[in-house]
Amino acid sequence: MSDVISSDQGFTADQRRLLASLLGVMIPADKGRNLIAASDDAIVESAIALLLPHRSAIITLLEQLGEEPALWLERLNETVPAGPLLKSAVIQAYYQNERVVAALGMGEGPPFPRGNKTPQGDWSILEKVRQKGKIYREV
Amino acid sequence: MEKVDVLIVGAGASGAAIAWSLAETRMRIVCLEQGDWMKPTDYPSNHQNWESRAMGEFSVSPNRRGRDTDYPVNDENSPISVANFNGVGGGTILWAGHFPRFHPSDFRVRQLDGVADDWPIDYETLSPYYDENDRMMGVSGLAGDPAYPDKPAIMPPLPLGRAGERLGAAFNELDWHWWPCDSGIASTQYEGRDECINLGACLSGCAQGAKASTDITYWPAAIRAGVEVRTRCRVKQVLMGDNGLASGVVYFDESGDEITQEAEVVIIACNGVGTPRLLLNSACDEFPEGLANSSGLVGKNLMFHPYASIQGIFPDELDGPRGPVDAIWSQEFYETNLDRGFVRGFTYEITRGRGPTATALTGMGSGRIPFGEGHHDAFAKMLNRMTGMVAICEDLPELHNTVTLDPTLTDAHGIPAPKIDYTLSENSRAMLDYAMERGSDVLKTAGATDILTEAPLGIGGWHLMGTARMGQNPKASVVNEWGRSHDVKNLFVVDGSLFVTSAGVNPTRTIQALALYVADNIKKRLANLFDD
């Protein structure tokens, strides 16, 4: 996500590593779909940019995660407001990453000026509506 | 500042229309707008993270957006939050372009259904102004919709796409009305605008310039004709002169300096919340309860359109975000049928689909997409497989739904902010429930395997109406039947505040037709405009 300001201000190297591990648990890789994990450096950077305004809550969450990654998702669900903030941030960071969007088949780069193809559809199905006649109320 | 002939407050849908129409008089016309001119290169669809930008700096919520050109709105006492945009183009910057007209019956709800009040004008009165507005805004659509009297089609309709075709076929199976929607999105090149290239980001500004926001429709024509637009000018108060007429306004300019601008005529075009806010903030000795408020109705009868959302998840791929947001509409349940348990009705606006981020957030929020194992499989079942509709429900006017001034909250210039007090009526609640049930019928018929419903949509306060209503009786209305204040004979209102009732359709096409109609009445009466 090249146009999100990336910064590690506010998070120590240890906190960043732990956050990356957590993101990787939240959205793991899927090799069959050619999808990377959310622990990817660019995705972590994007998530951190979104989370910086909530730095202290996120650091508290990281401190409370514990040693066992298998329990992290459960812990995440119990932590308010940091849990929902982190979930929203990882989704935004992940599903707007260029590699992820391309792997999903949603095109490369931003929508403009690329644009999209939209099929016209079958206009003949309107005939049935035409045959119904007017439905508005006269005054 | 040199005195001007006409001062317009607000450069949105209606301010632009009336400025353009009045420009032919060669009067000196100035429009004050608290926001900026928009740069198409700033719109989210230019950026990889377009969905985040649409939820942040281009959010429809002024409270979430928090630009310095915005004012805060206290809507804590309302299940529906105010949506708007402050800038040249106003709400048309972020609108979907869904562009229905009112119906003839919408102007006669008292006569037909015994509720609310009839308008002082009718469909036939507005019809030529609808046509004129359609030419200026550029409408894509298909003639022959059986839900309307004949109206011209300017450009071909937007593509049905997979979503429109699928749901259209389902409406057919149920023998219910549907039609390609009238849209302010250009399906072909039109008057300097390029055609839609299906960006799918209509709701956060159109980088292609295909969507009819008034900064690229009316305003270039109005400015060529001599109208001046001053941006970053926030009006604090309308001033009264000694002669019982408005003498002008006081505003803060970009530097924060307080400027007095005198004018012969003042026109307020600030939407159904901004207009009563300005009138209430303009209280003076002559009008201690707010300017032009001898009726006591300024800020009363606030109407939203309560929205229901009905979305389906399908087993096969549809359009996703690839296409203009809107495709078709249905007005099967538009006119009153008391067997349904409510009076009046609603429009289904079929919305195409959503992007990957919005899909994932929806899945997460509704418990359909887990984190960890199973995340990708669950996401794959939703991406590009969601489509559905929103129901735009007619809201009836009620005195207790109000815009007042917040006692403590202010904008950046210290001007009191608006406070919303709004309660959903039993009629609206019944209509929303019915809309969700029938909408679910459509989606099931179309093959949806899972359905998500929500009503009212909390973020759905897009349509702000009724707070300075028009009418012939000065005790029962704020302005007369051509938009002039009953109390202050050189003060006009031209936005959704004028609405007597809300109809069950998006209001912008009617707001603009009304602005052109008011402009025409001003032009016809120039010699005796301020007479009783």
mmCIF file of all heavy atoms in Angstrom, chain A residues 3 26 28 33 92 95-96 111-112 116 118-122 125 128-129 132-133 135-137, chain B residues 45 47-49 51-52 113 146 160-161 165 172 175 178 197-198 322 335 372 375-377:
data_model
loop_
_atom_site.group_PDB
_atom_site.id
_atom_site.type_symbol
_atom_site.label_atom_id
_atom_site.label_comp_id
_atom_site.label_asym_id
_atom_site.label_seq_id
_atom_site.Cartn_x
_atom_site.Cartn_y
_atom_site.Cartn_z
ATOM 1 N N ASP A 3 0.763 4.307 -0.804
ATOM 2 C CA ASP A 3 0.439 5.684 -0.487
ATOM 3 C C ASP A 3 -0.095 5.857 0.938
ATOM 4 O O ASP A 3 -0.732 6.842 1.253
ATOM 5 C CB ASP A 3 -0.523 6.284 -1.515
ATOM 6 C CG ASP A 3 -1.691 5.384 -1.770
ATOM 7 O OD1 ASP A 3 -1.760 4.342 -1.108
ATOM 8 O OD2 ASP A 3 -2.501 5.702 -2.607
ATOM 9 N N MET A 26 -3.854 -13.839 12.567
ATOM 10 C CA MET A 26 -5.205 -13.377 12.199
ATOM 11 C C MET A 26 -5.518 -13.715 10.742
ATOM 12 O O MET A 26 -6.597 -14.202 10.415
ATOM 13 C CB MET A 26 -5.321 -11.861 12.425
ATOM 14 C CG MET A 26 -5.270 -11.457 13.889
ATOM 15 S SD MET A 26 -5.217 -9.662 14.117
ATOM 16 C CE MET A 26 -6.913 -9.220 13.766
ATOM 17 N N PRO A 28 -3.567 -15.776 7.978
ATOM 18 C CA PRO A 28 -2.402 -16.548 7.533
ATOM 19 C C PRO A 28 -2.323 -16.572 6.010
ATOM 20 O O PRO A 28 -3.257 -16.149 5.319
ATOM 21 C CB PRO A 28 -2.681 -17.942 8.098
ATOM 22 C CG PRO A 28 -4.173 -18.013 8.217
ATOM 23 C CD PRO A 28 -4.654 -16.620 8.486
ATOM 24 N N ARG A 33 -4.310 -20.054 -3.005
ATOM 25 C CA ARG A 33 -4.892 -18.852 -3.623
ATOM 26 C C ARG A 33 -3.829 -17.788 -3.901
ATOM 27 O O ARG A 33 -4.156 -16.667 -4.282
ATOM 28 C CB ARG A 33 -5.983 -18.271 -2.719
ATOM 29 C CG ARG A 33 -7.212 -19.146 -2.575
ATOM 30 C CD ARG A 33 -8.288 -18.426 -1.760
ATOM 31 N NE ARG A 33 -9.573 -19.125 -1.800
ATOM 32 C CZ ARG A 33 -10.005 -19.964 -0.865
ATOM 33 N NH1 ARG A 33 -9.244 -20.225 0.193
ATOM 34 N NH2 ARG A 33 -11.173 -20.559 -0.970
ATOM 35 N N GLN A 92 -8.212 -3.535 6.683
ATOM 36 C CA GLN A 92 -7.929 -2.443 5.742
ATOM 37 C C GLN A 92 -6.532 -2.576 5.150
ATOM 38 O O GLN A 92 -6.326 -2.358 3.951
ATOM 39 C CB GLN A 92 -8.075 -1.090 6.447
ATOM 40 C CG GLN A 92 -9.506 -0.754 6.837
ATOM 41 C CD GLN A 92 -9.586 0.603 7.490
ATOM 42 O OE1 GLN A 92 -9.279 1.621 6.879
ATOM 43 N NE2 GLN A 92 -9.996 0.635 8.745
ATOM 44 N N TYR A 95 -6.525 -6.017 2.773
ATOM 45 C CA TYR A 95 -7.337 -6.071 1.556
ATOM 46 C C TYR A 95 -7.164 -4.860 0.646
ATOM 47 O O TYR A 95 -7.872 -4.723 -0.347
ATOM 48 C CB TYR A 95 -8.806 -6.315 1.909
ATOM 49 C CG TYR A 95 -9.015 -7.763 2.319
ATOM 50 C CD1 TYR A 95 -9.202 -8.111 3.650
ATOM 51 C CD2 TYR A 95 -8.947 -8.779 1.379
ATOM 52 C CE1 TYR A 95 -9.357 -9.434 4.030
ATOM 53 C CE2 TYR A 95 -9.095 -10.105 1.741
ATOM 54 C CZ TYR A 95 -9.299 -10.434 3.066
ATOM 55 O OH TYR A 95 -9.432 -11.752 3.427
ATOM 56 N N GLN A 96 -6.192 -3.996 0.983
ATOM 57 C CA GLN A 96 -5.841 -2.931 0.052
ATOM 58 C C GLN A 96 -4.376 -3.044 -0.362
ATOM 59 O O GLN A 96 -3.856 -2.178 -1.060
ATOM 60 C CB GLN A 96 -6.138 -1.558 0.677
ATOM 61 C CG GLN A 96 -7.644 -1.385 0.899
ATOM 62 C CD GLN A 96 -8.007 -0.089 1.590
ATOM 63 O OE1 GLN A 96 -8.499 0.844 0.968
ATOM 64 N NE2 GLN A 96 -7.767 -0.016 2.889
ATOM 65 N N PRO A 111 -8.449 1.957 -8.682
ATOM 66 C CA PRO A 111 -9.510 1.874 -9.700
ATOM 67 C C PRO A 111 -9.340 2.886 -10.835
ATOM 68 O O PRO A 111 -9.611 2.564 -11.999
ATOM 69 C CB PRO A 111 -10.783 2.162 -8.899
ATOM 70 C CG PRO A 111 -10.454 1.775 -7.505
ATOM 71 C CD PRO A 111 -8.998 2.098 -7.321
ATOM 72 N N PHE A 112 -8.926 4.120 -10.513
ATOM 73 C CA PHE A 112 -8.750 5.145 -11.542
ATOM 74 C C PHE A 112 -7.278 5.290 -11.876
ATOM 75 O O PHE A 112 -6.467 5.355 -10.966
ATOM 76 C CB PHE A 112 -9.299 6.497 -11.059
ATOM 77 C CG PHE A 112 -9.219 7.577 -12.097
ATOM 78 C CD1 PHE A 112 -10.183 7.676 -13.077
ATOM 79 C CD2 PHE A 112 -8.156 8.473 -12.112
ATOM 80 C CE1 PHE A 112 -10.106 8.658 -14.052
ATOM 81 C CE2 PHE A 112 -8.079 9.450 -13.085
ATOM 82 C CZ PHE A 112 -9.049 9.548 -14.049
ATOM 83 N N ASN A 116 -13.161 -0.467 -14.880
ATOM 84 C CA ASN A 116 -13.598 -1.861 -14.862
ATOM 85 C C ASN A 116 -14.564 -2.118 -16.005
ATOM 86 O O ASN A 116 -15.153 -1.191 -16.551
ATOM 87 C CB ASN A 116 -14.318 -2.178 -13.543
ATOM 88 C CG ASN A 116 -13.408 -2.123 -12.336
ATOM 89 O OD1 ASN A 116 -12.455 -2.899 -12.222
ATOM 90 N ND2 ASN A 116 -13.664 -1.185 -11.443
ATOM 91 N N THR A 118 -18.103 -3.704 -17.044
ATOM 92 C CA THR A 118 -19.391 -4.128 -16.493
ATOM 93 C C THR A 118 -20.277 -4.583 -17.640
ATOM 94 O O THR A 118 -20.531 -3.796 -18.560
ATOM 95 C CB THR A 118 -20.088 -2.968 -15.752
ATOM 96 O OG1 THR A 118 -19.177 -2.402 -14.815
ATOM 97 C CG2 THR A 118 -21.329 -3.456 -15.020
ATOM 98 N N PRO A 119 -20.726 -5.831 -17.629
ATOM 99 C CA PRO A 119 -21.565 -6.294 -18.742
ATOM 100 C C PRO A 119 -22.898 -5.562 -18.800
ATOM 101 O O PRO A 119 -23.451 -5.195 -17.754
ATOM 102 C CB PRO A 119 -21.762 -7.785 -18.442
ATOM 103 C CG PRO A 119 -21.524 -7.924 -16.972
ATOM 104 C CD PRO A 119 -20.527 -6.870 -16.603
ATOM 105 N N GLN A 120 -23.411 -5.352 -19.991
ATOM 106 C CA GLN A 120 -24.698 -4.674 -20.132
ATOM 107 C C GLN A 120 -25.832 -5.491 -19.505
ATOM 108 O O GLN A 120 -26.756 -4.936 -18.929
ATOM 109 C CB GLN A 120 -25.016 -4.432 -21.622
ATOM 110 C CG GLN A 120 -24.349 -3.189 -22.183
ATOM 111 C CD GLN A 120 -24.880 -1.911 -21.553
ATOM 112 O OE1 GLN A 120 -26.072 -1.751 -21.334
ATOM 113 N NE2 GLN A 120 -23.974 -0.988 -21.236
ATOM 114 N N GLY A 121 -25.758 -6.796 -19.608
ATOM 115 C CA GLY A 121 -26.859 -7.630 -19.128
ATOM 116 C C GLY A 121 -27.913 -7.797 -20.205
ATOM 117 O O GLY A 121 -27.840 -7.199 -21.280
ATOM 118 N N ASP A 122 -28.886 -8.601 -19.899
ATOM 119 C CA ASP A 122 -29.925 -8.956 -20.873
ATOM 120 C C ASP A 122 -31.117 -7.995 -20.748
ATOM 121 O O ASP A 122 -31.951 -8.141 -19.860
ATOM 122 C CB ASP A 122 -30.370 -10.401 -20.614
ATOM 123 C CG ASP A 122 -31.473 -10.831 -21.563
ATOM 124 O OD1 ASP A 122 -31.788 -10.066 -22.511
ATOM 125 O OD2 ASP A 122 -32.027 -11.929 -21.353
ATOM 126 N N ILE A 125 -35.222 -8.789 -20.634
ATOM 127 C CA ILE A 125 -36.059 -9.158 -19.483
ATOM 128 C C ILE A 125 -36.957 -7.999 -19.040
ATOM 129 O O ILE A 125 -37.871 -8.186 -18.239
ATOM 130 C CB ILE A 125 -35.218 -9.659 -18.284
ATOM 131 C CG1 ILE A 125 -34.264 -8.571 -17.770
ATOM 132 C CG2 ILE A 125 -34.431 -10.902 -18.666
ATOM 133 C CD1 ILE A 125 -33.520 -8.977 -16.499
ATOM 134 N N LYS A 128 -41.260 -7.846 -19.766
ATOM 135 C CA LYS A 128 -42.350 -8.215 -18.862
ATOM 136 C C LYS A 128 -42.844 -7.004 -18.063
ATOM 137 O O LYS A 128 -44.041 -6.875 -17.777
ATOM 138 C CB LYS A 128 -41.892 -9.318 -17.907
ATOM 139 C CG LYS A 128 -42.992 -9.768 -16.977
ATOM 140 C CD LYS A 128 -42.642 -11.033 -16.224
ATOM 141 C CE LYS A 128 -43.830 -11.445 -15.360
ATOM 142 N NZ LYS A 128 -43.577 -12.635 -14.565
ATOM 143 N N VAL A 129 -41.943 -6.118 -17.706
ATOM 144 C CA VAL A 129 -42.332 -4.926 -16.946
ATOM 145 C C VAL A 129 -43.136 -3.982 -17.837
ATOM 146 O O VAL A 129 -44.130 -3.393 -17.403
ATOM 147 C CB VAL A 129 -41.087 -4.198 -16.386
ATOM 148 C CG1 VAL A 129 -41.509 -3.120 -15.394
ATOM 149 C CG2 VAL A 129 -40.136 -5.171 -15.711
ATOM 150 N N LYS A 132 -46.753 -4.752 -18.034
ATOM 151 C CA LYS A 132 -47.587 -4.548 -16.839
ATOM 152 C C LYS A 132 -48.417 -3.278 -16.929
ATOM 153 O O LYS A 132 -49.477 -3.173 -16.319
ATOM 154 C CB LYS A 132 -46.704 -4.452 -15.586
ATOM 155 C CG LYS A 132 -46.267 -5.798 -15.024
ATOM 156 C CD LYS A 132 -45.196 -5.622 -13.962
ATOM 157 C CE LYS A 132 -45.702 -4.902 -12.734
ATOM 158 N NZ LYS A 132 -46.441 -5.788 -11.816
ATOM 159 N N GLY A 133 -47.907 -2.281 -17.645
ATOM 160 C CA GLY A 133 -48.630 -1.013 -17.707
ATOM 161 C C GLY A 133 -48.338 -0.140 -16.499
ATOM 162 O O GLY A 133 -47.652 -0.559 -15.563
ATOM 163 N N ILE A 135 -48.164 1.995 -13.161
ATOM 164 C CA ILE A 135 -48.482 1.656 -11.770
ATOM 165 C C ILE A 135 -48.534 2.877 -10.873
ATOM 166 O O ILE A 135 -48.834 2.759 -9.696
ATOM 167 C CB ILE A 135 -47.468 0.654 -11.179
ATOM 168 C CG1 ILE A 135 -46.057 1.252 -11.130
ATOM 169 C CG2 ILE A 135 -47.477 -0.666 -11.928
ATOM 170 C CD1 ILE A 135 -45.096 0.446 -10.263
ATOM 171 N N TYR A 136 -48.236 4.074 -11.405
ATOM 172 C CA TYR A 136 -48.290 5.246 -10.529
ATOM 173 C C TYR A 136 -49.733 5.723 -10.362
ATOM 174 O O TYR A 136 -50.587 5.463 -11.192
ATOM 175 C CB TYR A 136 -47.398 6.378 -11.048
ATOM 176 C CG TYR A 136 -47.839 7.027 -12.334
ATOM 177 C CD1 TYR A 136 -48.713 8.114 -12.328
ATOM 178 C CD2 TYR A 136 -47.370 6.563 -13.566
ATOM 179 C CE1 TYR A 136 -49.103 8.714 -13.511
ATOM 180 C CE2 TYR A 136 -47.755 7.154 -14.748
ATOM 181 C CZ TYR A 136 -48.622 8.227 -14.721
ATOM 182 O OH TYR A 136 -49.016 8.824 -15.886
ATOM 183 N N ARG A 137 -49.947 6.434 -9.278
ATOM 184 C CA ARG A 137 -51.303 6.845 -8.920
ATOM 185 C C ARG A 137 -51.620 8.210 -9.536
ATOM 186 O O ARG A 137 -50.866 9.163 -9.379
ATOM 187 C CB ARG A 137 -51.410 6.914 -7.389
ATOM 188 C CG ARG A 137 -52.817 7.047 -6.883
ATOM 189 C CD ARG A 137 -53.004 6.571 -5.436
ATOM 190 N NE ARG A 137 -51.987 6.970 -4.499
ATOM 191 C CZ ARG A 137 -52.197 7.069 -3.180
ATOM 192 N NH1 ARG A 137 -53.392 6.801 -2.682
ATOM 193 N NH2 ARG A 137 -51.238 7.403 -2.371
ATOM 194 N N SER B 45 -10.511 7.021 -5.371
ATOM 195 C CA SER B 45 -10.266 6.004 -6.402
ATOM 196 C C SER B 45 -8.944 6.209 -7.137
ATOM 197 O O SER B 45 -8.531 5.357 -7.921
ATOM 198 C CB SER B 45 -11.422 5.959 -7.412
ATOM 199 O OG SER B 45 -11.549 7.193 -8.074
ATOM 200 N N HIS B 47 -6.278 6.133 -5.532
ATOM 201 C CA HIS B 47 -5.310 5.574 -4.587
ATOM 202 C C HIS B 47 -5.581 4.093 -4.327
ATOM 203 O O HIS B 47 -6.723 3.644 -4.344
ATOM 204 C CB HIS B 47 -5.375 6.340 -3.261
ATOM 205 C CG HIS B 47 -5.122 7.810 -3.427
ATOM 206 N ND1 HIS B 47 -3.861 8.359 -3.413
ATOM 207 C CD2 HIS B 47 -5.980 8.840 -3.648
ATOM 208 C CE1 HIS B 47 -3.948 9.673 -3.606
ATOM 209 N NE2 HIS B 47 -5.215 9.983 -3.755
ATOM 210 N N GLN B 48 -4.512 3.381 -4.038
ATOM 211 C CA GLN B 48 -4.629 1.961 -3.748
ATOM 212 C C GLN B 48 -5.529 1.723 -2.529
ATOM 213 O O GLN B 48 -6.289 0.767 -2.490
ATOM 214 C CB GLN B 48 -3.232 1.380 -3.502
ATOM 215 C CG GLN B 48 -3.195 -0.108 -3.244
ATOM 216 C CD GLN B 48 -3.525 -0.928 -4.486
ATOM 217 O OE1 GLN B 48 -3.259 -0.492 -5.604
ATOM 218 N NE2 GLN B 48 -4.109 -2.103 -4.289
ATOM 219 N N ASN B 49 -5.439 2.592 -1.550
ATOM 220 C CA ASN B 49 -6.241 2.406 -0.322
ATOM 221 C C ASN B 49 -7.550 3.196 -0.404
ATOM 222 O O ASN B 49 -7.959 3.866 0.554
ATOM 223 C CB ASN B 49 -5.440 2.806 0.909
ATOM 224 C CG ASN B 49 -5.082 4.283 0.918
ATOM 225 O OD1 ASN B 49 -5.056 4.917 -0.136
ATOM 226 N ND2 ASN B 49 -4.800 4.825 2.083
ATOM 227 N N GLU B 51 -10.621 2.403 -0.339
ATOM 228 C CA GLU B 51 -11.722 2.098 0.582
ATOM 229 C C GLU B 51 -11.499 2.733 1.959
ATOM 230 O O GLU B 51 -12.441 3.195 2.591
ATOM 231 C CB GLU B 51 -11.901 0.592 0.691
ATOM 232 C CG GLU B 51 -12.397 -0.045 -0.601
ATOM 233 C CD GLU B 51 -12.746 -1.506 -0.427
ATOM 234 O OE1 GLU B 51 -13.891 -1.801 -0.029
ATOM 235 O OE2 GLU B 51 -11.857 -2.342 -0.663
ATOM 236 N N SER B 52 -10.252 2.768 2.413
ATOM 237 C CA SER B 52 -9.969 3.437 3.689
ATOM 238 C C SER B 52 -10.205 4.929 3.583
ATOM 239 O O SER B 52 -10.763 5.556 4.493
ATOM 240 C CB SER B 52 -8.515 3.195 4.118
ATOM 241 O OG SER B 52 -8.338 1.881 4.562
ATOM 242 N N ASP B 113 -54.153 10.335 1.092
ATOM 243 C CA ASP B 113 -53.965 9.389 2.188
ATOM 244 C C ASP B 113 -54.341 9.942 3.555
ATOM 245 O O ASP B 113 -54.228 9.229 4.563
ATOM 246 C CB ASP B 113 -52.503 8.922 2.225
ATOM 247 C CG ASP B 113 -52.152 8.116 0.983
ATOM 248 O OD1 ASP B 113 -53.002 7.336 0.532
ATOM 249 O OD2 ASP B 113 -51.033 8.282 0.466
ATOM 250 N N PRO B 146 -43.067 2.460 -16.140
ATOM 251 C CA PRO B 146 -44.495 2.516 -15.810
ATOM 252 C C PRO B 146 -44.793 3.086 -14.428
ATOM 253 O O PRO B 146 -45.958 3.283 -14.089
ATOM 254 C CB PRO B 146 -44.939 1.055 -15.898
ATOM 255 C CG PRO B 146 -43.712 0.245 -15.774
ATOM 256 C CD PRO B 146 -42.595 1.073 -16.312
ATOM 257 N N LEU B 160 -26.954 -2.970 -16.769
ATOM 258 C CA LEU B 160 -27.580 -3.814 -15.743
ATOM 259 C C LEU B 160 -26.514 -4.561 -14.958
ATOM 260 O O LEU B 160 -26.584 -4.688 -13.742
ATOM 261 C CB LEU B 160 -28.510 -4.851 -16.395
ATOM 262 C CG LEU B 160 -29.796 -4.366 -17.041
ATOM 263 C CD1 LEU B 160 -30.495 -5.545 -17.722
ATOM 264 C CD2 LEU B 160 -30.711 -3.751 -16.002
ATOM 265 N N GLY B 161 -25.515 -5.052 -15.694
ATOM 266 C CA GLY B 161 -24.514 -5.886 -15.053
ATOM 267 C C GLY B 161 -25.123 -7.207 -14.608
ATOM 268 O O GLY B 161 -26.299 -7.493 -14.845
ATOM 269 N N GLU B 165 -29.217 -7.696 -13.669
ATOM 270 C CA GLU B 165 -29.919 -8.739 -14.426
ATOM 271 C C GLU B 165 -30.484 -9.806 -13.482
ATOM 272 O O GLU B 165 -31.638 -10.244 -13.637
ATOM 273 C CB GLU B 165 -28.964 -9.371 -15.432
ATOM 274 C CG GLU B 165 -29.606 -10.423 -16.304
ATOM 275 C CD GLU B 165 -28.620 -11.025 -17.295
ATOM 276 O OE1 GLU B 165 -27.910 -10.265 -17.976
ATOM 277 O OE2 GLU B 165 -28.560 -12.263 -17.368
ATOM 278 N N ASN B 172 -39.163 -9.967 -11.833
ATOM 279 C CA ASN B 172 -40.085 -10.506 -12.840
ATOM 280 C C ASN B 172 -40.798 -11.752 -12.337
ATOM 281 O O ASN B 172 -42.007 -11.923 -12.521
ATOM 282 C CB ASN B 172 -39.316 -10.858 -14.116
ATOM 283 C CG ASN B 172 -39.089 -9.650 -15.016
ATOM 284 O OD1 ASN B 172 -39.627 -8.572 -14.767
ATOM 285 N ND2 ASN B 172 -38.291 -9.837 -16.055
ATOM 286 N N ASP B 175 -43.432 -10.958 -10.265
ATOM 287 C CA ASP B 175 -44.365 -10.067 -10.951
ATOM 288 C C ASP B 175 -44.405 -8.688 -10.293
ATOM 289 O O ASP B 175 -45.459 -8.072 -10.159
ATOM 290 C CB ASP B 175 -45.780 -10.681 -11.001
ATOM 291 C CG ASP B 175 -46.625 -10.052 -12.109
ATOM 292 O OD1 ASP B 175 -46.024 -9.536 -13.067
ATOM 293 O OD2 ASP B 175 -47.863 -10.045 -11.995
ATOM 294 N N TRP B 178 -39.838 -3.255 -11.690
ATOM 295 C CA TRP B 178 -38.451 -2.788 -11.600
ATOM 296 C C TRP B 178 -38.145 -2.034 -12.882
ATOM 297 O O TRP B 178 -38.870 -2.149 -13.869
ATOM 298 C CB TRP B 178 -37.463 -3.952 -11.408
ATOM 299 C CG TRP B 178 -37.343 -4.864 -12.602
ATOM 300 C CD1 TRP B 178 -38.185 -5.875 -12.939
ATOM 301 C CD2 TRP B 178 -36.340 -4.827 -13.619
ATOM 302 N NE1 TRP B 178 -37.774 -6.482 -14.100
ATOM 303 C CE2 TRP B 178 -36.635 -5.853 -14.538
ATOM 304 C CE3 TRP B 178 -35.201 -4.044 -13.842
ATOM 305 C CZ2 TRP B 178 -35.856 -6.111 -15.661
ATOM 306 C CZ3 TRP B 178 -34.419 -4.301 -14.957
ATOM 307 C CH2 TRP B 178 -34.754 -5.329 -15.856
ATOM 308 N N ILE B 197 -16.543 4.855 -16.287
ATOM 309 C CA ILE B 197 -15.686 3.699 -16.573
ATOM 310 C C ILE B 197 -15.760 2.681 -15.431
ATOM 311 O O ILE B 197 -14.829 1.921 -15.195
ATOM 312 C CB ILE B 197 -14.226 4.113 -16.854
ATOM 313 C CG1 ILE B 197 -13.662 4.959 -15.696
ATOM 314 C CG2 ILE B 197 -14.128 4.859 -18.168
ATOM 315 C CD1 ILE B 197 -12.154 5.225 -15.819
ATOM 316 N N ASN B 198 -16.854 2.713 -14.694
ATOM 317 C CA ASN B 198 -17.176 1.640 -13.733
ATOM 318 C C ASN B 198 -16.149 1.516 -12.599
ATOM 319 O O ASN B 198 -15.744 0.418 -12.233
ATOM 320 C CB ASN B 198 -17.310 0.292 -14.473
ATOM 321 C CG ASN B 198 -18.267 0.379 -15.639
ATOM 322 O OD1 ASN B 198 -19.402 0.816 -15.470
ATOM 323 N ND2 ASN B 198 -17.822 0.009 -16.825
ATOM 324 N N ARG B 322 -17.404 -3.546 -9.349
ATOM 325 C CA ARG B 322 -17.050 -3.187 -10.726
ATOM 326 C C ARG B 322 -18.261 -2.671 -11.489
ATOM 327 O O ARG B 322 -18.933 -3.405 -12.210
ATOM 328 C CB ARG B 322 -16.429 -4.405 -11.418
ATOM 329 C CG ARG B 322 -15.096 -4.780 -10.785
ATOM 330 C CD ARG B 322 -14.589 -6.119 -11.235
ATOM 331 N NE ARG B 322 -15.414 -7.220 -10.759
ATOM 332 C CZ ARG B 322 -14.967 -8.438 -10.506
ATOM 333 N NH1 ARG B 322 -13.691 -8.714 -10.678
ATOM 334 N NH2 ARG B 322 -15.772 -9.383 -10.092
ATOM 335 N N GLU B 335 -46.786 3.278 -3.735
ATOM 336 C CA GLU B 335 -48.049 3.941 -3.403
ATOM 337 C C GLU B 335 -48.715 3.238 -2.213
ATOM 338 O O GLU B 335 -48.487 2.060 -1.962
ATOM 339 C CB GLU B 335 -48.987 3.924 -4.616
ATOM 340 C CG GLU B 335 -48.382 4.515 -5.894
ATOM 341 C CD GLU B 335 -48.287 6.048 -5.889
ATOM 342 O OE1 GLU B 335 -48.621 6.675 -4.858
ATOM 343 O OE2 GLU B 335 -47.868 6.603 -6.916
ATOM 344 N N GLY B 372 -7.961 -16.214 11.446
ATOM 345 C CA GLY B 372 -7.255 -17.472 11.628
ATOM 346 C C GLY B 372 -7.689 -18.489 10.584
ATOM 347 O O GLY B 372 -8.035 -18.143 9.439
ATOM 348 N N HIS B 375 -10.296 -18.269 7.419
ATOM 349 C CA HIS B 375 -10.531 -16.882 6.988
ATOM 350 C C HIS B 375 -10.689 -16.786 5.473
ATOM 351 O O HIS B 375 -11.658 -16.195 4.976
ATOM 352 C CB HIS B 375 -9.370 -15.989 7.443
ATOM 353 C CG HIS B 375 -9.514 -14.564 7.004
ATOM 354 N ND1 HIS B 375 -10.210 -13.631 7.729
ATOM 355 C CD2 HIS B 375 -9.074 -13.914 5.889
ATOM 356 C CE1 HIS B 375 -10.190 -12.473 7.097
ATOM 357 N NE2 HIS B 375 -9.505 -12.621 5.974
ATOM 358 N N HIS B 376 -9.766 -17.350 4.747
ATOM 359 C CA HIS B 376 -9.777 -17.180 3.287
ATOM 360 C C HIS B 376 -10.952 -17.896 2.634
ATOM 361 O O HIS B 376 -11.543 -17.384 1.677
ATOM 362 C CB HIS B 376 -8.449 -17.662 2.687
ATOM 363 C CG HIS B 376 -7.288 -16.818 3.110
ATOM 364 N ND1 HIS B 376 -7.139 -15.506 2.728
ATOM 365 C CD2 HIS B 376 -6.232 -17.099 3.920
ATOM 366 C CE1 HIS B 376 -6.030 -15.005 3.259
ATOM 367 N NE2 HIS B 376 -5.462 -15.955 3.992
ATOM 368 N N ASP B 377 -11.285 -19.062 3.149
ATOM 369 C CA ASP B 377 -12.444 -19.778 2.580
ATOM 370 C C ASP B 377 -13.730 -18.973 2.783
ATOM 371 O O ASP B 377 -14.560 -18.848 1.870
ATOM 372 C CB ASP B 377 -12.598 -21.153 3.256
ATOM 373 C CG ASP B 377 -11.535 -22.139 2.801
ATOM 374 O OD1 ASP B 377 -10.885 -21.866 1.764
ATOM 375 O OD2 ASP B 377 -11.346 -23.152 3.487
#
